Amino acid sequence: MFSKSLILITISALVISFAKAYDPSPLQDFCVAINDLKNGDFVNGKFCKDPKQVKAEDFFYSGLNRAGNTNNKVRSNVTTVNVDQIPGLNTMGISLVRIDYAPYGQNPPHTHPRGTEILVLVEGTLYVGFVSSNQDKNRLFAKVLNPGDVFVFPIGMIHFQVNIGKTPAVAFAGLSSQNAGVITVANTVFGSVPPINPEILAQAFQLDANVVKDLEAKFAPKN
């Protein structure tokens, strides 16, 4: 198990690394998020709580010491700590995730449309990478990470992590947005609502239309 001190050092490093974040800079000390229009104004996507009503709990979250459930098809779990979990993150341009990987599990190819990600591995061994844009000829930048190693995934780039070890892996990552968003490639392309016409995807991916139909059936959202 990783030590509490290592977790604190990791999180501190991630926070400091985002002194300049992707989201607009705040124009006040804080803008604690609320969902009630009657009690505040619309700022950076969230209403602001009256500063006189702000409490320490608005800046607090507990639970990143607990492993996420990796009993799923990709054998990984992402525990997100963004503005939805910590209202005090509103307008701060930063958030955090814990990622748990079962042996040979993966965080499949995805992208964050609103944030750069910096990941530090705490336990296990990961193979990670991202692919650059068409203009850069879709180059793959990949490394094998060991505990203590850090890797950056630039904003908008499709990226992934795979546990190549026989034991569970744990990583923490900071993102340069209070809500960086996530677009998982396979789920987005083959699981859209309503589905994309299979003939379109067949041509785009150079696949038989029946293969596309099978993939759409597999990734279709479950009710």
Side-chain angles (χ1 to χ4, degrees):
M1 289 293 295
F2 49 89
S3 65
K4 291 183 179 179
S5 59
L6 180 55
I7 293 177
L8 292 174
I9 292 171
T10 297
I11 294 175
S12 298
L14 293 174
V15 171
I16 292 171
S17 71
F18 284 108
K20 180 174 178 59
Y22 178 70
D23 291 347
S25 298
L27 299 177
Q28 57 281 319
D29 287 347
F30 44 75
C31 173
V32 173
I34 58 172
N35 294 316
D36 188 351
L37 180 60
K38 294 182 295 184
N39 293 332
D41 296 322
F42 188 80
V43 178
N44 289 354
K46 293 283 187 180
F47 306 123
C48 291
K49 179 186 285 190
D50 182 342
K52 296 183 180 62
Q53 299 179 11
V54 171
K55 301 178 180 179
E57 286 75 16
D58 292 320
F59 302 94
F60 175 78
Y61 175 88
S62 179
L64 283 187
N65 59 315
R66 296 190 294 270
N69 183 6
T70 59
N71 185 23
N72 53 58
K73 292 183 178 180
V74 295
R75 298 173 61 81
S76 71
N77 182 279
V78 179
T79 302
T80 302
V81 184
N82 61 21
V83 68
D84 293 328
Q85 287 74 40
I86 302 181
L89 285 176
N90 192 39
T91 78
M92 296 299 173
I94 189 171
S95 57
L96 178 72
V97 298
R98 169 182 172 142
I99 314 172
D100 291 279
Y101 314 80
Y104 308 112
Q106 65 172 271
N107 191 8
H110 63 283
T111 178
H112 301 293
R114 295 182 293 276
T116 290
E117 176 180 350
I118 181 168
L119 177 146
V120 57
L121 182 62
V122 178
E123 286 185 11
T125 307
L126 294 181
Y127 174 66
V128 308
F130 70 88
V131 179
S132 64
S133 65
N134 294 0
Q135 290 81 358
D136 193 55
K137 302 185 185 301
N138 304 121
R139 291 190 294 160
L140 172 64
F141 297 83
K143 291 284 290 184
V144 172
L145 303 186
N146 295 300
D149 290 344
V150 176
F151 199 82
V152 174
F153 306 102
I155 183 172
M157 299 290 101
I158 293 175
H159 59 284
F160 61 88
Q161 304 107 34
V162 182
N163 182 1
I164 58 175
K166 297 180 180 179
T167 60
V170 180
F172 290 88
L175 296 124
S176 61
S177 171
Q178 68 183 43
N179 183 13
V182 61
I183 300 172
T184 306
V185 176
N187 299 70
T188 302
V189 174
F190 298 109
S192 67
V193 180
I196 300 174
N197 187 316
E199 297 295 337
I200 295 175
L201 295 180
Q203 183 175 4
F205 286 91
Q206 300 295 290
L207 296 172
D208 185 274
N210 289 324
V211 174
V212 173
K213 291 177 182 178
D214 288 341
L215 289 169
E216 289 187 325
K218 180 174 295 186
F219 285 97
K222 303 296 188 292
N223 294 329

